[in-house]
Amino acid sequence: MNTGVFNIPFKAMLTLSWRNLWRNYRRTLIMLAAISMAVWAMIFMTAIMRGMVDDMLHQGVANLPGHIQIHHPGFRDDPSVVNSIDAPGGELLAALNDSQTKSWTSRIKVPAVISSERDTRGISLLGVEPESENRITGIAEQVVEGRFLEGDDDRGVVIGLKLAERLETRLGKRVVIMSQDPDNNIADRGFRIVGLYKARLEALEEVNVYAARGTLQKLLKIGDQVSEIAIIDKDFRDIESLYAKIKAATPDNLEIRAWYELDSYLSSMLNVMDGFVLIWIIIIFLALSFGLVNTLMMAVFERRREIGLIQALGMRPGMIVYQILLESLLLLLIGLSIGNALALATVLPLESGLDISSVAEGLAMIGAGSVLYPNLRLDDMILANVVVIMLGTLTSILPAWHAARLDPVQAINST
Amino acid sequence: MSAIHCMQLCKTFKQGDETITGLDHVDISIEVGEFVCLSGPSGSGKTTLLNAIGGLDTHDSVEIHMGNIRIDQLDKGSLADMRLHNIGFVFQAYNLIPVLSAQENVEFVMQMQGIVAHERARHAREILKEVGLEGMEDRRPAQLSGGQQQRVAVARAIVSQPQLVLADEPTANLDSVTASHLMNLFSRLNQHHHITFIIATHDKRVMGYAKRLIKMRDGKIIGDEKQTPVAIEDVADSSG
Amino acid sequence: MSNIALRLAWRNLWRYPRRTWLTVGAMIFSNSLLVFSISLQFGSYEMMINNTLQAFTGHIQVQREGYLDDPKMRYVLPDITAMADRLRSSLDSNQIAARAAGFALVSSNDRSYGLQILGVEPEFEPFVSTIPGLIKQGRYLDKDSDEEIVIGSVLARNLKVKLGDEVTFLGSGRDDSFAAGVARVVGIFETGSADLDRSMAQVSLAYFQDAFTMGGSGHSITLRAATIDEVPMLKQRVKTLIAGRDKLVVLDWEVLQPGLKQAIQADMTSAWFMYGVLIILVAFSVLNTQLMSVLERTREFGTMMALGLKPSNLARLVMTETFMMASLGLAIGVFIGYLITAYLSVVGFSYPGMEEMADKFNLPDRMYPNVSLLSLTLGPGIVAIGCLLAAIYPALRLYLLLPIEAMRAV
């Protein structure tokens, strides 16, 4: 006498559910359209937002630049030449040259004033070792006119296009750069502009001026000292082990910081984004759930005679629930497949970049570039699918339970 | 041992402001192998009694025994199991699941009982043949006539060899030839398989097939007599 | 439409109360959500605009043509104080102040930084900018300020100067001559924005004109309107007032801070994408409900047609039912949305990570949604229209009905 739910061949239930689904094909199609579109919207929007935040992160990390930085403890608050540090040596140098580090460089970063014949601007003067700097920032590829610096004692400077425009100067012209040495004496000298670069964020072009590290060390009279050591790992999201290792090798009188400590806006964006994705998916699901419950309720209502009949034939109430849930699950699965396919079909062609330069300055304000690269993440897709399946099934319990509670006698006799 | 034993069975309905008495202290015992007709005008309580015996309906009864089981004390799930294994139903209309073919409708009950597929299919074809529906196994209910649908329903009711078949006005929508085919089928099943039949009807021809005729009015039994059934016409065998 | 038709539509809705409530429920959910998030959006945009513009930029600036793109010392407004005075009296407003700006290397005994020095009118600057009100130490400049300077707190720390210390500044004047001066720090302001606090110093306009050989000229006149909505009107009036003057332009905040406008636009676009999805989902729900309700009433509609009703009457019936559902969803949704939003607009709310984001956009740490008639009705109104559009297909199907066939339908 004990027929448990799972003693009944799954296939029989599947057949019944599948055929029931297509009895009212109009309704099923409308519902499928709704589910597909909801799933598409969940994934598409998430990919776009992820892409934007990723871009902000990449830009932000690129602007720092370096996933991990080592400074004089006073440098971040007071970025002066006084707060310089010795070039890495000993244990730290060994840790930096370890294979786990993707790349590292040391640079000078001081506030300075640049003057052309026409105008004067405040800038951030960077003294870099061209080769290792390029490995970290890719600055050499951003040079659109002339060349990037060559060697540690190059006597030229590379400035941004925008800055050149502001200074009314051009490639090959001379500019005077003025800063101060640790004794607060004005240190200035003329440089020839050997290259112009174009950055993804225009604001950077106005601020960052590149000169050779050795040349600046001489100008500023700081021997072989530098302002910061910048290190990059393979993936900036996963730097903990490298961070711990370098931290252990860093002398106690230096400050070491990871990117998320250097820019709390970026790291909080990353966290807010995870929350946003979940909320977005759930809101869309909730809007969808009303239609889902309604559809199943209608299906149950239309078939109440039949449900009464199979109850009379000896189907346990649990089995009725099972059958309605299966029907809902089938509906959800088809909707999900179409929705996922649509999302892939719309996001993948955009992965080469979506031009949204009409709002470029607005995006620059939040730290994103003007070309959007949607980022379709597997875990987001899984999240969307799991939410729809789990909550969808959960929501379907209401109509299913309603069906199981139908009084067979009334159901059979109803018109 | 009696198959069914009901004591002091009562049932009231609310209809608008009125309370209608469906069953009024009914006592009834039905033995295994009986062929019983419940007759009486509409509203006399036939269907209500049938549903109560089948455990389909709630009632204010004191006791209903089936074999040695108190079915009035079973929960919904156990009642469903009892129907599945022990009782076959044939209703006046809407007997079949519209999305399933004739054979699938018959197999459905066996599937729920957990019978393996090939066994199920073989048995279903046998039964369909026995009710004269050979060759129509794959038709959906909408493609069958009223009589054919009823025969599928009968096939489904008896396929798991229940102890009891409850039929509520099974011939109401059938013409007289089809109706007598159906009744012959019932009689044969009663004789050959010892299945107990309880049929609610107000069709005089149907009553002729019964071995026991129970008359009801206003929820009470007003007559209960044994009778000799009319001879079974073996026409069902030749029908297609 | 006659009264009985309305009654018929209304009663039809409640034949299956569960179905109607589920459909209306979808509307209520979306409507309250839309009311809340549109109010929040409007509220935060307004705050973003106000906080950004009030700090320094103002709503409108009068400048020399070309100065915005390329702020050169020589792009000046001549006789700027007289011009500002004239604007003040013509517009009968104090919220107008003249400024001049130049680049200089500012040095203390220990440090030097290159930054922007601003010459302001001390008596009017407080009406167009919040910086004078954010002095944390000392005082702001006054009318007679000469050789006095106020600087941001970060700059003060970096220069290692305190109140009363002297700083020197070196730059070039309007005529490319050498500009230099020594000024005493009389005030240190703290806006909370590290950028402003690091990179700004203010002196009086007269002193600036003197040091940078500006004569009587300056670079901009900044105006503030009473509210953001009055900006276009004010801009028009200023334009008329300076009409005779050659090469002057009147720029509003959208031009002065294009990033702000575009950040809002970008946010609007993504927000409306999300709202669109919600609205379409609700419309699907209505489409489904109304199509089913039409199909299952085929027989009934057949009877009505046999009685002499035209398909158009029946279609109108279906549209009326939808309209009633939409109105119900609108009323309840707006009400619930209003309650939530009004509550939050008083107590405010925040979420994790908001502090950092708020900082970036000059927003306070708690958000206060802004309830207005527009924010209450915009989203729900579109939902209602979407629902009515969705009901067109079911209504049109009625034109396909033939009475006899319809009556036979089950």
Side-chain angles (χ1 to χ4, degrees):
Chain A
M1 292 272 290
N2 256 327
T3 307
V5 164
F6 295 101
N7 289 1
I8 299 203
F10 174 69
K11 211 182 138 213
M13 287 311 230
L14 199 62
T15 313
L16 201 59
S17 301
W18 177 256
R19 290 192 190 162
N20 277 332
L21 203 53
W22 297 105
R23 272 163 84 170
N24 199 325
Y25 67 94
R26 278 195 199 86
R27 186 174 58 212
T28 301
L29 286 177
I30 293 174
M31 201 53 219
L32 276 181
I35 298 174
S36 312
M37 133 123 189
V39 172
W40 168 79
M42 287 175 184
I43 299 175
F44 182 79
M45 189 67 190
T46 304
I48 296 280
M49 297 303 277
R50 286 277 191 212
M52 193 170 279
V53 168
D54 268 18
D55 195 38
M56 287 165 58
L57 283 174
H58 278 122
Q59 296 280 334
V61 172
N63 293 350
L64 284 170
H67 303 160
I68 301 170
Q69 294 181 0
I70 301 172
H71 300 117
H72 185 283
F75 181 81
R76 288 209 298 142
D77 192 39
D78 181 12
S80 152
V81 69
V82 179
N83 292 326
S84 298
I85 56 176
D86 291 330
E91 212 185 325
L92 178 57
L93 187 64
L96 290 172
N97 285 332
D98 188 275
S99 60
Q100 199 181 344
T101 311
K102 190 183 167 202
S103 193
W104 70 276
T105 190
S106 62
R107 58 172 90 92
I108 295 165
K109 192 172 177 182
V110 289
V113 174
I114 190 169
S115 307
S116 69
E117 293 156 3
R118 292 293 199 152
D119 213 337
T120 302
R121 292 268 147 184
I123 53 157
S124 178
L125 180 62
L126 298 166
V128 301
E129 191 284 299
E131 209 173 302
S132 56
E133 180 70 22
N134 187 44
R135 276 204 298 276
I136 288 192
T137 57
I139 178 72
E141 279 89 66
Q142 295 176 8
V143 172
V144 288
E145 271 183 66
R147 59 168 174 88
F148 193 56
L149 304 166
E150 286 163 358
D152 207 28
D153 49 2
D154 195 314
R155 302 168 75 87
V157 286
V158 175
I159 70 171
L161 276 177
K162 194 79 192 172
L163 183 62
E165 195 181 301
R166 291 271 193 247
L167 293 172
E168 293 179 51
T169 186
R170 57 188 155 79
L171 191 69
K173 287 274 196 177
R174 286 182 70 81
V175 287
V176 173
I177 293 179
M178 185 164 68
S179 188
Q180 61 177 158
D181 66 19
D183 301 324
N184 202 24
N185 298 315
I186 298 287
D188 60 349
R189 64 164 282 180
F191 287 88
R192 189 170 298 281
I193 299 171
V194 296
L196 297 174
Y197 72 91
K198 182 163 179 50
R200 273 189 81 184
L201 288 183
E202 218 172 52
L204 293 181
E205 285 178 28
E206 276 192 76
V207 174
N208 287 346
V209 170
Y210 292 87
R213 188 175 60 192
T215 312
L216 285 193
Q217 279 167 341
K218 252 177 260 155
L219 173 69
L220 299 171
K221 305 191 184 76
I222 52 173
D224 67 344
Q225 283 194 317
V226 293
S227 308
E228 69 186 13
I229 298 168
I231 302 134
I232 56 170
D233 199 350
K234 279 150 201 105
D235 183 359
F236 68 83
R237 288 186 193 82
D238 180 28
I239 58 168
E240 287 316 311
S241 70
L242 180 67
Y243 184 32
K245 200 164 129 188
I246 294 186
K247 196 170 190 169
T250 305
D252 288 342
N253 60 349
L254 299 184
E255 180 187 73
I256 175 162
R257 288 286 182 269
W259 65 269
Y260 49 82
E261 294 165 308
L262 293 167
D263 192 336
S264 58
Y265 171 67
L266 290 183
S267 55
S268 76
M269 272 314 289
L270 199 60
N271 295 332
V272 167
M273 197 53 211
D274 285 336
F276 171 81
V277 166
L278 189 66
I279 290 175
W280 166 241
I281 288 177
I282 286 180
I283 283 181
I284 290 295
F285 174 81
L286 285 178
L288 181 68
S289 65
F290 289 95
L292 184 65
V293 173
N294 214 353
T295 301
L296 291 171
M297 279 290 193
M298 282 191 255
V300 167
F301 181 76
E302 276 173 6
R303 293 208 297 272
R304 59 203 187 285
R305 278 191 294 233
E306 213 176 306
I307 291 167
L309 172 71
I310 51 179
Q311 278 184 292
L313 291 180
M315 193 183 254
R316 278 170 156 254
M319 294 298 298
I320 312 256
V321 172
Y322 175 38
Q323 200 244 299
I324 303 284
L325 286 187
L326 196 60
E327 196 171 324
S328 151
L329 195 65
L330 282 175
L331 188 69
L332 291 170
L333 284 175
I334 304 173
L336 278 171
S337 322
I338 302 175
N340 283 316
L342 273 179
L344 287 175
T346 46
V347 174
L348 292 181
L350 293 180
E351 290 215 312
S352 55
L354 184 64
D355 189 358
I356 43 172
S357 47
S358 64
V359 289
E361 285 178 70
L363 294 166
M365 205 168 148
I366 61 170
S370 60
V371 178
L372 183 62
Y373 300 93
N375 177 10
L376 192 61
R377 278 170 47 171
L378 188 63
D379 56 347
D380 288 336
M381 272 186 98
I382 291 173
L383 180 69
N385 282 283
V386 166
V387 164
V388 172
I389 292 261
M390 300 280 283
L391 294 187
T393 311
L394 206 64
T395 324
S396 313
I397 287 179
L398 181 70
W401 181 70
H402 177 71
R405 273 190 44 221
L406 283 178
D407 178 6
V409 175
Q410 274 179 24
I412 293 170
N413 294 331
S414 63
T415 41
Chain B
M1 184 188 78
S2 61
I4 310 288
H5 185 60
C6 304
M7 293 193 299
Q8 300 287 302
L9 200 53
C10 295
K11 171 78 183 175
T12 52
F13 309 98
K14 287 255 180 214
Q15 199 169 56
D17 294 338
E18 268 180 276
T19 305
I20 294 168
T21 307
L23 291 175
D24 189 2
H25 300 91
V26 171
D27 291 307
I28 187 172
S29 283
I30 294 166
E31 304 299 322
V32 172
E34 279 198 276
F35 194 111
V36 182
C37 257
L38 299 173
S39 71
S42 36
S44 60
K46 312 184 292 287
T47 303
T48 314
L49 181 56
L50 217 54
N51 288 340
I53 295 170
L56 275 181
D57 206 356
T58 55
H59 37 73
D60 333 311
S61 153
V62 183
E63 284 176 26
I64 305 175
H65 297 264
M66 179 155 178
N68 42 19
I69 299 164
R70 279 282 298 271
I71 66 170
D72 54 312
Q73 288 178 337
L74 296 179
D75 61 42
K76 267 184 117 175
S78 312
L79 272 175
D81 284 341
M82 185 204 69
R83 286 197 296 272
L84 178 62
H85 293 273
N86 302 330
I87 304 179
F89 274 98
V90 180
F91 299 101
Q92 182 178 336
Y94 291 110
N95 256 320
L96 303 179
I97 301 169
V99 292
L100 299 181
S101 70
Q103 181 169 337
E104 286 168 331
N105 260 287
V106 176
E107 280 191 45
F108 186 72
V109 173
M110 289 189 283
Q111 275 183 330
M112 283 199 287
Q113 291 176 334
I115 297 168
V116 292
H118 61 94
E119 174 79 3
R120 227 161 51 208
R122 186 184 56 76
H123 201 45
R125 277 196 299 273
E126 250 172 47
I127 296 274
L128 281 171
K129 189 177 173 191
E130 189 169 346
V131 300
L133 288 174
E134 205 175 359
M136 300 192 188
E137 292 89 346
D138 294 329
R139 293 202 188 172
R140 296 261 181 116
Q143 300 163 312
L144 295 168
S145 73
Q148 287 165 335
Q149 286 186 33
Q150 281 307 64
R151 274 185 277 161
V152 176
V154 172
R156 188 187 54 203
I158 61 170
V159 73
S160 54
Q161 301 191 314
Q163 300 168 16
L164 176 65
V165 171
L166 300 173
D168 190 4
E169 305 279 8
T171 59
N173 293 336
L174 304 182
D175 61 62
S176 63
V177 176
T178 318
S180 60
H181 283 170
L182 188 69
M183 290 318 296
N184 283 328
L185 180 61
F186 279 4
S187 294
R188 267 189 300 120
L189 291 167
N190 174 246
Q191 285 179 359
H192 299 168
H193 299 281
H194 282 277
I195 298 171
T196 313
F197 274 84
I198 306 178
I199 301 167
T201 188
H202 51 247
D203 186 336
K204 282 274 184 314
R205 294 164 303 169
V206 172
M207 294 174 207
Y209 289 87
K211 293 178 191 164
R212 179 179 171 190
L213 189 63
I214 296 176
K215 288 193 176 126
M216 295 187 72
R217 179 173 295 161
D218 299 332
K220 289 191 180 99
I221 292 176
I222 55 165
D224 184 350
E225 54 200 41
K226 304 253 173 183
Q227 63 173 30
T228 313
V230 296
I232 303 166
E233 306 159 33
D234 264 346
V235 277
D237 290 336
S238 58
S239 73
Chain C
M1 187 167 285
S2 67
N3 208 359
I4 192 128
L6 285 177
R7 241 181 297 163
L8 180 62
W10 180 252
R11 287 189 192 154
N12 276 336
L13 280 189
W14 302 109
R15 279 159 93 167
Y16 302 111
R18 204 189 318 251
R19 180 162 75 195
T20 302
W21 277 122
L22 278 169
T23 313
V24 173
M27 297 181 199
I28 294 175
F29 172 77
S30 306
N31 284 345
S32 7
L33 199 69
L34 286 174
V35 166
F36 169 71
S37 63
I38 292 179
S39 299
L40 182 62
Q41 239 183 314
F42 285 4
S44 53
Y45 293 164
E46 194 177 300
M47 248 186 289
M48 241 165 99
I49 293 171
N50 285 343
N51 291 4
T52 308
L53 300 183
Q54 278 169 7
F56 185 68
T57 312
H59 289 134
I60 291 174
Q61 289 190 9
V62 181
Q63 296 178 350
R64 172 76 173 264
E65 206 177 345
Y67 182 77
L68 179 71
D69 288 329
D70 193 6
K72 300 245 179 279
M73 284 297 268
R74 59 179 185 271
Y75 292 169
V76 295
L77 309 183
D79 280 330
I80 193 162
T81 30
M83 190 175 163
D85 278 338
R86 252 195 330 277
L87 283 176
R88 275 190 282 266
S89 64
S90 313
L91 295 170
D92 191 24
S93 162
N94 268 339
Q95 304 192 333
I96 295 169
R99 288 174 183 158
F103 181 80
L105 186 72
V106 176
S107 313
S108 64
N109 286 334
D110 302 311
R111 299 290 160 82
S112 302
Y113 287 95
L115 52 93
Q116 177 118 46
I117 292 195
L118 212 66
V120 299
E121 293 182 293
E123 47 301 29
F124 297 108
E125 185 67 14
F127 298 119
V128 296
S129 160
T130 52
I131 291 174
L134 294 169
I135 297 284
K136 287 281 131 59
Q137 286 178 51
R139 58 167 174 85
Y140 191 61
L141 305 165
D142 58 37
K143 229 176 107 210
D144 310 313
S145 280
D146 195 24
E147 301 191 345
E148 288 180 349
I149 191 167
V150 295
I151 59 177
S153 55
V154 178
L155 183 63
R157 203 164 62 223
N158 289 349
L159 285 172
K160 298 190 188 294
V161 293
K162 48 188 196 306
L163 283 184
D165 288 351
E166 286 187 337
V167 294
T168 56
F169 56 88
L170 293 169
S172 35
R174 180 187 169 190
D175 50 5
D176 282 338
S177 66
F178 190 63
V182 180
R184 200 158 49 85
V185 177
V186 294
I188 294 174
F189 62 82
E190 194 172 320
T191 61
S193 152
D195 268 350
L196 276 180
D197 293 347
R198 179 182 298 127
S199 62
M200 191 179 278
Q202 297 188 353
V203 299
S204 75
L205 181 61
Y207 180 48
F208 185 94
Q209 286 170 334
D210 204 25
F212 287 83
T213 56
M214 297 288 290
S217 62
H219 292 117
S220 62
I221 296 176
T222 302
L223 298 92
R224 198 154 100 182
T227 66
I228 193 94
D229 304 326
E230 288 172 30
V231 171
M233 211 178 69
L234 183 62
K235 184 180 168 186
Q236 205 46 53
R237 290 185 65 189
V238 176
K239 259 191 173 154
T240 335
L241 286 172
I242 63 156
R245 308 285 293 265
D246 204 21
K247 287 193 170 168
L248 292 194
V249 284
V250 183
L251 306 170
D252 59 21
W253 64 274
E254 295 179 11
V255 181
L256 295 166
Q257 292 270 358
L260 191 59
K261 178 83 193 258
Q262 291 179 5
I264 290 174
Q265 270 175 355
D267 188 70
M268 280 272 218
T269 312
S270 63
W272 277 104
F273 174 84
M274 300 189 226
Y275 300 160
V277 172
L278 270 185
I279 291 166
I280 293 174
L281 283 179
V282 175
F284 270 128
S285 195
V286 170
L287 172 61
N288 218 347
T289 304
Q290 288 307 73
L291 187 61
M292 288 310 116
S293 117
V294 164
L295 292 179
E296 76 194 8
R297 280 186 287 175
T298 300
R299 197 174 187 162
E300 189 179 320
F301 285 149
T303 314
M304 291 167 91
M305 281 166 81
L307 292 176
L309 265 78
K310 291 191 286 285
S312 61
N313 297 117
L314 297 177
R316 206 178 308 161
L317 178 68
V318 170
M319 293 310 283
T320 310
E321 289 172 21
T322 313
F323 180 76
M324 284 173 167
M325 271 201 284
S327 310
L328 207 57
L330 185 97
I332 302 177
V334 168
F335 180 68
I336 294 178
Y338 171 76
L339 286 186
I340 298 171
T341 315
Y343 173 73
L344 290 175
S345 70
V346 175
V347 299
F349 78 103
S350 68
Y351 51 85
M354 198 170 116
E355 206 179 312
E356 287 84 357
M357 303 211 347
D359 224 34
K360 191 97 174 175
F361 295 104
N362 296 315
L363 290 173
D365 292 348
R366 285 181 83 73
M367 299 289 287
Y368 297 88
N370 187 359
V371 187
S372 68
L373 188 63
L374 186 65
S375 72
L376 281 179
T377 52
L378 183 61
I382 298 175
V383 168
I385 293 170
C387 293
L388 287 174
L389 289 178
I392 288 178
Y393 171 67
L396 284 181
R397 280 195 61 86
L398 291 168
Y399 288 88
L400 300 175
L401 283 186
L402 296 172
I404 297 301
E405 279 176 27
M407 282 174 75
R408 283 206 201 101
V410 188

